[in-house]
Amino acid sequence: MVDCSVRNWQGEEVGQATLQMRVAKEENAAHIVHRSLVRQMANARQGNACTKTRSEVRGGGRKPWRQKGTGRARAGSNRSPLWRGGGVIFGPKPRDYSQKMNRKERRLALRTAFMSRAEDLIVVEEFVEQLPRPKTKDVVAAIGRWGIEPESKVLIILAQPEEKVYLSVRNLATVKLIYATNLNIYDILAADKIVTTNTALAKIQEVYND
Protein backbone atom coordinates (compact mmCIF):
# COMPACT_ATOMS: atom_id res chain seq x y z
CA MET A 1 0.00 0.00 0.00
CA VAL A 2 1.28 3.44 -0.96
CA ASP A 3 -0.05 6.82 0.15
CA CYS A 4 0.08 9.58 -2.46
CA SER A 5 -0.59 13.26 -1.94
CA VAL A 6 -3.34 14.78 -4.07
CA ARG A 7 -2.75 18.15 -5.75
CA ASN A 8 -5.22 20.61 -7.16
CA TRP A 9 -5.03 22.58 -10.41
CA GLN A 10 -2.80 25.19 -8.74
CA GLY A 11 -0.34 22.53 -7.52
CA GLU A 12 -1.28 22.71 -3.84
CA GLU A 13 -1.63 19.57 -1.74
CA VAL A 14 -5.27 19.09 -0.80
CA GLY A 15 -5.47 15.50 0.45
CA GLN A 16 -4.22 11.93 0.32
CA ALA A 17 -4.95 8.97 -1.96
CA THR A 18 -4.14 5.32 -1.37
CA LEU A 19 -2.74 3.01 -4.01
CA GLN A 20 -3.04 -0.66 -3.17
CA MET A 21 -2.52 -3.39 -5.77
CA ARG A 22 -1.32 -6.97 -5.59
CA VAL A 23 2.11 -7.34 -7.15
CA ALA A 24 4.47 -10.16 -8.08
CA LYS A 25 6.97 -11.56 -5.60
CA GLU A 26 10.24 -9.68 -5.53
CA GLU A 27 12.25 -12.57 -6.97
CA ASN A 28 9.87 -12.89 -9.96
CA ALA A 29 8.85 -9.27 -10.51
CA ALA A 30 11.58 -8.22 -12.97
CA HIS A 31 11.13 -11.39 -15.03
CA ILE A 32 7.36 -11.15 -15.45
CA VAL A 33 7.47 -7.40 -16.22
CA HIS A 34 10.18 -8.01 -18.83
CA ARG A 35 8.17 -10.81 -20.45
CA SER A 36 5.09 -8.62 -20.66
CA LEU A 37 7.05 -5.71 -22.14
CA VAL A 38 8.70 -7.92 -24.77
CA ARG A 39 5.29 -9.39 -25.64
CA GLN A 40 3.72 -5.97 -26.18
CA MET A 41 6.59 -4.74 -28.37
CA ALA A 42 6.68 -8.00 -30.36
CA ASN A 43 2.92 -7.92 -30.92
CA ALA A 44 3.21 -4.40 -32.30
CA ARG A 45 5.48 -5.57 -35.13
CA GLN A 46 3.85 -5.89 -38.54
CA GLY A 47 6.10 -8.74 -39.66
CA ASN A 48 5.75 -7.85 -43.35
CA ALA A 49 9.46 -7.46 -44.23
CA CYS A 50 10.13 -9.52 -47.36
CA THR A 51 13.15 -10.17 -49.58
CA LYS A 52 13.31 -12.23 -52.77
CA THR A 53 15.29 -15.41 -53.14
CA ARG A 54 17.15 -16.20 -56.37
CA SER A 55 14.11 -18.05 -57.65
CA GLU A 56 11.87 -15.00 -57.17
CA VAL A 57 14.09 -12.30 -58.69
CA ARG A 58 13.11 -11.31 -62.21
CA GLY A 59 15.46 -12.53 -64.96
CA GLY A 60 18.42 -14.87 -64.77
CA GLY A 61 17.05 -17.55 -67.08
CA ARG A 62 19.96 -17.53 -69.47
CA LYS A 63 23.44 -18.79 -68.61
CA PRO A 64 25.70 -15.67 -68.67
CA TRP A 65 28.56 -17.41 -70.54
CA ARG A 66 29.60 -20.89 -71.45
CA GLN A 67 30.80 -23.25 -68.75
CA LYS A 68 34.39 -23.65 -69.91
CA GLY A 69 37.00 -21.85 -71.93
CA THR A 70 36.42 -18.20 -70.92
CA GLY A 71 38.85 -18.07 -68.00
CA ARG A 72 36.10 -16.71 -65.75
CA ALA A 73 34.39 -18.45 -62.88
CA ARG A 74 31.53 -20.68 -63.95
CA ALA A 75 28.12 -19.05 -63.58
CA GLY A 76 24.65 -20.37 -64.27
CA SER A 77 22.56 -17.28 -63.54
CA ASN A 78 23.05 -13.54 -63.19
CA ARG A 79 20.56 -13.59 -60.32
CA SER A 80 22.80 -15.61 -58.04
CA PRO A 81 23.07 -14.18 -54.50
CA LEU A 82 26.75 -13.51 -55.27
CA TRP A 83 25.82 -11.08 -58.03
CA ARG A 84 24.64 -7.49 -57.86
CA GLY A 85 20.88 -7.55 -58.37
CA GLY A 86 20.72 -11.17 -57.34
CA GLY A 87 18.59 -12.84 -54.70
CA VAL A 88 19.05 -12.57 -50.93
CA ILE A 89 20.30 -15.50 -48.86
CA PHE A 90 18.31 -16.16 -45.67
CA GLY A 91 16.57 -12.77 -45.90
CA PRO A 92 13.41 -11.90 -43.94
CA LYS A 93 10.05 -13.26 -45.01
CA PRO A 94 6.58 -12.27 -43.72
CA ARG A 95 6.04 -13.84 -40.32
CA ASP A 96 4.00 -13.47 -37.14
CA TYR A 97 6.04 -12.10 -34.25
CA SER A 98 3.20 -12.21 -31.70
CA GLN A 99 3.77 -13.89 -28.36
CA LYS A 100 1.23 -15.36 -25.98
CA MET A 101 0.95 -14.65 -22.27
CA ASN A 102 -1.80 -15.65 -19.86
CA ARG A 103 -4.26 -12.93 -18.93
CA LYS A 104 -3.53 -13.30 -15.20
CA GLU A 105 0.18 -12.96 -15.85
CA ARG A 106 -0.38 -9.84 -17.97
CA ARG A 107 -2.49 -8.26 -15.24
CA LEU A 108 0.09 -9.16 -12.60
CA ALA A 109 2.88 -7.63 -14.67
CA LEU A 110 0.85 -4.47 -15.25
CA ARG A 111 0.09 -4.05 -11.55
CA THR A 112 3.71 -4.70 -10.64
CA ALA A 113 4.97 -2.14 -13.15
CA PHE A 114 2.42 0.46 -12.01
CA MET A 115 3.28 0.01 -8.35
CA SER A 116 6.98 0.26 -9.15
CA ARG A 117 6.34 3.80 -10.48
CA ALA A 118 4.64 4.96 -7.28
CA GLU A 119 7.42 7.48 -6.58
CA ASP A 120 6.81 9.10 -9.98
CA LEU A 121 3.02 9.09 -9.64
CA ILE A 122 1.26 12.45 -9.26
CA VAL A 123 -2.42 12.35 -8.28
CA VAL A 124 -4.46 15.45 -9.07
CA GLU A 125 -8.05 16.48 -8.60
CA GLU A 126 -10.41 16.39 -11.57
CA PHE A 127 -9.31 19.32 -13.68
CA VAL A 128 -11.60 19.22 -16.72
CA GLU A 129 -13.69 22.06 -15.27
CA GLN A 130 -10.51 24.13 -14.98
CA LEU A 131 -10.29 24.15 -18.79
CA PRO A 132 -13.13 26.34 -20.06
CA ARG A 133 -11.84 25.60 -23.56
CA PRO A 134 -8.97 23.56 -25.02
CA LYS A 135 -5.75 25.43 -24.26
CA THR A 136 -2.33 23.82 -24.53
CA LYS A 137 -0.63 26.68 -22.67
CA ASP A 138 -2.87 26.14 -19.61
CA VAL A 139 -2.05 22.43 -19.43
CA VAL A 140 1.70 23.09 -19.80
CA ALA A 141 1.52 25.64 -16.96
CA ALA A 142 -0.39 23.17 -14.75
CA ILE A 143 2.18 20.43 -15.42
CA GLY A 144 4.88 22.84 -14.25
CA ARG A 145 2.92 23.65 -11.08
CA TRP A 146 2.68 19.93 -10.33
CA GLY A 147 6.49 19.85 -10.09
CA ILE A 148 7.28 18.22 -13.43
CA GLU A 149 10.34 19.31 -15.41
CA PRO A 150 9.58 20.82 -18.85
CA GLU A 151 11.45 18.12 -20.83
CA SER A 152 10.06 15.16 -18.88
CA LYS A 153 7.97 12.55 -20.65
CA VAL A 154 4.54 12.70 -19.03
CA LEU A 155 1.80 10.08 -19.12
CA ILE A 156 -1.65 11.45 -18.25
CA ILE A 157 -4.26 8.88 -17.25
CA LEU A 158 -7.93 9.88 -17.20
CA ALA A 159 -10.95 7.84 -16.14
CA GLN A 160 -12.82 8.53 -19.38
CA PRO A 161 -12.34 10.40 -22.68
CA GLU A 162 -12.29 14.18 -22.26
CA GLU A 163 -12.18 16.10 -25.52
CA LYS A 164 -10.90 19.35 -23.98
CA VAL A 165 -7.93 17.60 -22.42
CA TYR A 166 -7.21 15.63 -25.59
CA LEU A 167 -7.23 18.75 -27.75
CA SER A 168 -5.00 20.54 -25.23
CA VAL A 169 -2.22 17.92 -25.15
CA ARG A 170 -2.25 16.41 -28.63
CA ASN A 171 0.45 18.80 -29.90
CA LEU A 172 2.80 18.18 -26.97
CA ALA A 173 5.53 15.77 -28.03
CA THR A 174 6.44 14.83 -24.44
CA VAL A 175 2.89 14.26 -23.20
CA LYS A 176 0.78 11.18 -23.87
CA LEU A 177 -2.87 10.78 -22.89
CA ILE A 178 -4.47 7.40 -22.21
CA TYR A 179 -7.47 6.18 -20.27
CA ALA A 180 -7.66 4.01 -17.17
CA THR A 181 -9.12 1.06 -19.07
CA ASN A 182 -6.32 1.17 -21.68
CA LEU A 183 -3.24 0.92 -19.49
CA ASN A 184 -0.26 -0.80 -21.04
CA ILE A 185 3.10 -1.70 -19.63
CA TYR A 186 5.20 0.14 -22.23
CA ASP A 187 3.65 3.55 -21.54
CA ILE A 188 3.92 3.03 -17.79
CA LEU A 189 7.63 2.24 -17.96
CA ALA A 190 8.53 4.78 -20.68
CA ALA A 191 7.15 7.85 -18.88
CA ASP A 192 9.27 9.97 -16.54
CA LYS A 193 6.19 11.09 -14.61
CA ILE A 194 2.67 9.69 -14.43
CA VAL A 195 -0.25 12.04 -13.77
CA THR A 196 -3.61 10.58 -12.86
CA THR A 197 -6.82 11.88 -11.35
CA ASN A 198 -8.58 10.62 -8.24
CA THR A 199 -11.30 9.04 -10.34
CA ALA A 200 -8.83 7.40 -12.72
CA LEU A 201 -6.80 5.97 -9.82
CA ALA A 202 -9.93 4.41 -8.35
CA LYS A 203 -10.85 3.05 -11.78
CA ILE A 204 -7.39 1.50 -12.23
CA GLN A 205 -7.63 -0.29 -8.89
CA GLU A 206 -11.13 -1.48 -9.70
CA VAL A 207 -10.35 -2.80 -13.19
CA TYR A 208 -6.89 -4.31 -12.72
CA ASN A 209 -6.98 -5.55 -9.13
CA ASP A 210 -8.84 -8.78 -9.93
Side-chain angles (χ1 to χ4, degrees):
M1 185 174 68
V2 179
D3 290 327
C4 307
S5 59
V6 180
R7 299 176 183 270
N8 61 15
W9 182 249
Q10 286 72 34
E12 303 163 343
E13 291 190 13
V14 293
Q16 292 284 325
T18 301
L19 176 60
Q20 185 172 7
M21 304 179 81
R22 296 189 301 275
V23 300
K25 295 180 181 177
E26 186 176 353
E27 58 270 22
N28 300 327
H31 173 67
I32 193 168
V33 169
H34 178 262
R35 278 185 56 211
S36 182
L37 178 62
V38 170
R39 171 191 169 273
Q40 180 178 336
M41 297 177 70
N43 289 2
R45 297 183 67 174
Q46 291 184 342
N48 57 1
C50 183
T51 55
K52 292 184 178 180
T53 64
R54 64 181 298 165
S55 65
E56 296 168 328
V57 180
R58 181 183 177 91
R62 172 178 168 271
K63 189 173 175 66
W65 49 77
R66 66 176 192 256
Q67 180 80 350
K68 302 174 72 67
T70 65
R72 288 189 281 186
R74 54 195 173 189
S77 170
N78 60 6
R79 290 298 177 258
S80 163
L82 305 179
W83 285 51
R84 179 178 177 275
V88 177
I89 305 172
F90 303 130
K93 286 290 185 182
R95 54 168 290 193
D96 181 13
Y97 285 95
S98 64
Q99 300 180 14
K100 292 184 179 180
M101 190 174 183
N102 293 338
R103 178 178 177 275
K104 287 186 177 181
E105 287 184 304
R106 297 199 306 268
R107 288 292 181 93
L108 179 60
L110 191 65
R111 293 195 301 267
T112 303
F114 193 77
M115 286 293 288
S116 72
R117 302 304 310 276
E119 292 183 0
D120 302 310
L121 181 65
I122 298 172
V123 183
V124 298
E125 290 184 324
E126 294 294 335
F127 56 86
V128 178
E129 292 76 13
Q130 305 293 335
L131 288 171
R133 59 192 176 91
K135 190 75 173 177
T136 302
K137 186 184 294 185
D138 292 347
V139 174
V140 171
I143 289 174
R145 292 194 297 269
W146 294 332
I148 301 175
E149 296 295 328
E151 300 301 320
S152 298
K153 290 186 289 185
V154 182
L155 176 66
I156 298 179
I157 306 173
L158 298 181
Q160 59 188 7
E162 299 288 353
E163 186 177 10
K164 287 190 293 186
V165 180
Y166 166 73
L167 294 175
S168 298
V169 304
R170 63 179 177 176
N171 286 334
L172 297 174
T174 58
V175 177
K176 183 168 186 179
L177 175 67
I178 62 173
Y179 305 110
T181 53
N182 295 332
L183 282 190
N184 65 86
I185 201 162
Y186 179 84
D187 286 338
I188 290 172
L189 297 178
D192 296 321
K193 294 290 183 179
I194 300 174
V195 176
T196 183
T197 62
N198 268 328
T199 310
L201 190 63
K203 187 76 170 178
I204 289 169
Q205 297 185 84
E206 175 190 346
V207 171
Y208 298 99
N209 226 0
D210 55 353

